[in-house]
């Protein structure tokens, strides 16, 4: 069989397309509709019968949007000034991350963070979904704005797509549905394996910092029920008797981007031990750098978030960061003495998820999840002998390194799978490969 004839698409990133295919604009086949958000303070606008979605409802591997995290009432709907979009409309995120895409399986309303593509011509919506799914980088380039980037309806309407005849669109969709499902199945299993490794790592940490390394040691009942039985020779104290607590610095946005090292919420949330310097900079005074200093042995806790899942994560400083300060959404615990609590042991002890159960049980969840200094000061700390703390830390360094290497390999596999999936879709929706 002869190779089919190709022609220049006129769009650099699309490249060549087959003869018989066209380059069209989104607006040629779709109406581009804006979303809108009801006034959040109006209680009678929310929890109704009308599905209302935000980009977070479809930033997953699911193609079809069947349900929404929130719903609005008829009053909320009327206040938006926009219409519901019909089933099979394509929903595109127009704010960061620009280009997340899904298909409405049901009629729904969208937030102002979404654009809806409502079909007006004979076209296979799923084909365009696949095309847009590999176009996120190109759509991102079109984002405009000073405070945050946003994709306009005008620019989205002018976005170029390659379009084969309708019968070929359907063939490509059927083919990609089968192949992408196979890839997604492997991706899902890989993610489950990563989750299992992470749970295994947490179990090893929790056992080591609450039970020690000697399975035959004599035990006693902890003063705190959630800790269970602990080695008989370990001490147990509340944080308030081991050191001091300090909330972080509060500065307006113009102070950031230059100056001295800044330890952010993300630096704490993402790392068991702080990196040797923070990822940010802030214009801080000498007094700021003294009050909010970051020293060897300090333990930092995330203290506030929209969700309870992100509160109470700890990161320990294993090397003083000169002239650094830390974020206001973080609490610093500074031990009085390293003769009672080794920083290398703290790195694992405070990162153990068993302590987050204590925080969750006691936390005030009226508005935002929040960890107060008073609650943190109640946290119990188990204190093995210093030599034993050192042994536990060295054991966990080795074990966690082994598990982290396994996780890293699986995460590299995920990147490869996502890249392969995107490449496969690109080859067929731009006609580089033909379905035989």
């Amino acid at each position: 069989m002869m190779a089919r004839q190709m022609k220049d698409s006129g769009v650099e990133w699309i490249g060549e397309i087959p003869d018989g295919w066209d380059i069209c604009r989104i607006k040629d086949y779709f109406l581009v509709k804006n979303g809108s958000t009801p006034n959040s303070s109006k209680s009678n606008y929310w929890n109704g019968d009308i599905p209302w979605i935000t980009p977070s409802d479809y930033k997953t591997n699911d193609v079809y949007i069947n349900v929404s995290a929130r719903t609005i009432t008829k009053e909320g709907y009327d206040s938006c000034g926009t219409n519901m979009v019909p089933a099979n409309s394509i929903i595109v995120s127009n704010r960061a991350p620009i280009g997340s895409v899904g298909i409405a399986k049901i009629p729904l309303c969208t937030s102002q963070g979404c654009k809806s593509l409502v079909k007006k011509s004979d076209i296979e919506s799923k084909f365009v979904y696949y095309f847009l799914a590999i176009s996120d980088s190109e759509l991102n380039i079109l984002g405009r704005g000073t405070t945050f980037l946003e994709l306009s309806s005008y620019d989205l309407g002018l976005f170029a797509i390659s379009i084969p005849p309708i019968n070929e669109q359907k063939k490509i969709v059927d083919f990609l549905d089968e192949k992408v499902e196979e890839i997604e199945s492997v991706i899902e299993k890989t993610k489950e394996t990563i989750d299992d490794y992470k749970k295994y790592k947490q179990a090893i940490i929790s056992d080591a910092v609450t039970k020690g390394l000697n399975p035959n040691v004599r035990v006693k009942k902890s003063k705190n029920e959630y800790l269970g039985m602990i080695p008989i020779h370990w001490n147990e104290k509340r944080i308030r008797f081991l050191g001091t607590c300090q909330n972080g610095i509060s500065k307006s946005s113009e102070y950031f981007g230059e100056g001295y090292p800044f330890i952010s919420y993300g630096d704490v949330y993402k790392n068991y031990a702080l990196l040797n310097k923070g990822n940010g900079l802030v214009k801080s005074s000498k007094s700021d750098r003294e009050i909010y200093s970051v020293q060897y042995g300090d333990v930092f806790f995330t203290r506030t978030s929209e969700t309870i899942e992100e509160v109470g994560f700890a990161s320990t400083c294993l090397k003083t960061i000169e002239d650094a300060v830390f974020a206001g959404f973080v609490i610093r615990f500074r031990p009085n003495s390293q003769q009672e609590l080794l920083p290398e042991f703290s790195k694992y002890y405070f990162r153990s998820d068993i302590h987050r159960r204590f925080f969750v049980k006691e936390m005030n969840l009226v508005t935002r999840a929040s960890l107060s200094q008073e609650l943190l000061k109640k946290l119990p700390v188990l204190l093995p002998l210093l030599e034993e703390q050192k042994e536990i830390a060295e054991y966990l360094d080795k074990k966690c390194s082994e598990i982290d290497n396994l996780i890293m390999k699986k995460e590299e596999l995920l990147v490869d799978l996502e890249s392969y999936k995107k490449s496969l879709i690109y080859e067929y929706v731009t006609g580089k490969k033909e379905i035989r």
Side-chain angles (χ1 to χ4, degrees), residues 171-227:
K171 283 175 62 178
I172 291 170
V173 167
D174 289 343
F175 174 81
L176 288 177
D177 280 350
E178 180 180 347
K179 294 299 181 184
V180 169
E181 184 178 355
E182 292 172 0
I183 298 168
E184 291 290 0
S185 177
V186 179
I187 288 174
E188 193 59 36
K189 289 175 182 174
T190 304
K191 287 181 177 178
E192 289 173 0
T193 301
I194 291 172
D195 286 342
D196 288 342
Y197 281 144
K198 289 180 177 178
K199 289 174 185 175
Y200 176 54
K201 177 179 172 180
Q202 269 298 321
I204 287 176
I205 291 172
S206 294
D207 276 353
V209 299
T210 60
K211 311 298 180 191
L213 304 180
N214 180 3
N216 301 315
V217 70
R218 291 176 59 202
V219 295
K220 64 183 177 183
K221 192 172 184 179
S222 168
K223 300 173 188 174
N224 296 274
E225 186 176 345
Y226 83 95
L227 291 172

Side-chain angles (χ1 to χ4, degrees), residues 18-80:
D19 282 342
W21 286 41
D22 294 318
I23 290 293
C24 301
R25 305 293 171 180
I26 289 286
K27 68 175 184 174
D28 296 332
Y29 286 91
F30 297 91
L31 297 171
V32 182
K33 291 186 172 291
N34 293 322
S36 183
T37 301
N39 188 328
S40 59
S41 66
K42 300 280 189 180
S43 59
N44 62 319
Y45 284 178
W46 299 97
N47 301 319
D49 299 320
I50 301 172
W52 177 82
I53 68 149
T54 69
S56 61
D57 288 313
Y58 59 93
K59 287 176 185 171
T60 66
N61 291 325
D62 296 329
V63 175
Y64 292 106
I65 306 164
N66 293 302
V67 295
S68 57
R70 299 191 72 179
T71 56
I72 57 176
T73 61
K74 178 66 165 57
E75 292 85 353
Y77 172 75
D78 290 340
S79 76
C80 287

Side-chain angles (χ1 to χ4, degrees), residues 72-183:
I72 57 176
T73 61
K74 178 66 165 57
E75 292 85 353
Y77 172 75
D78 290 340
S79 76
C80 287
T82 57
N83 297 321
M84 292 185 72
V85 298
N88 291 321
S89 298
I90 298 173
I91 314 298
V92 182
S93 169
N94 60 282
R95 295 180 180 175
I98 292 173
S100 293
V101 61
I103 298 178
K105 197 67 172 176
I106 55 175
L108 47 76
C109 294
T110 70
S111 76
Q112 74 269 35
C114 305
K115 304 287 186 190
S116 301
L117 305 183
V118 179
K119 187 164 68 171
K120 65 179 184 179
S121 301
D122 188 22
I123 194 169
E124 188 71 23
S125 292
K126 190 74 174 289
F127 178 85
V128 179
Y129 161 83
Y130 276 127
F131 189 94
L132 293 177
I134 53 100
S135 305
D136 51 343
S137 297
E138 302 305 317
L139 289 168
N140 256 296
I141 294 171
L142 301 177
R144 305 179 187 183
T146 53
T147 306
F148 56 83
L149 295 180
E150 186 167 7
L151 176 65
S152 71
S153 296
Y154 178 80
D155 288 333
L156 180 56
L158 290 178
F159 191 72
I161 53 177
S162 56
I163 300 293
I166 190 70
N167 63 323
E168 193 168 357
Q169 291 176 39
K170 292 176 179 177
K171 283 175 62 178
I172 291 170
V173 167
D174 289 343
F175 174 81
L176 288 177
D177 280 350
E178 180 180 347
K179 294 299 181 184
V180 169
E181 184 178 355
E182 292 172 0
I183 298 168

Side-chain angles (χ1 to χ4, degrees), residues 219-258:
V219 295
K220 64 183 177 183
K221 192 172 184 179
S222 168
K223 300 173 188 174
N224 296 274
E225 186 176 345
Y226 83 95
L227 291 172
M229 304 300 289
I230 63 174
I232 197 169
H233 61 287
W234 286 18
N235 290 328
E236 188 172 358
K237 292 184 180 180
R238 303 277 181 188
I239 270 189
R240 70 169 66 250
F241 301 114
L242 292 170
T244 58
C245 293
Q246 170 72 53
N247 284 10
I249 195 170
S250 179
K251 294 277 188 183
S252 53
S253 58
E254 65 266 22
Y255 283 83
F256 291 90
E258 59 180 300

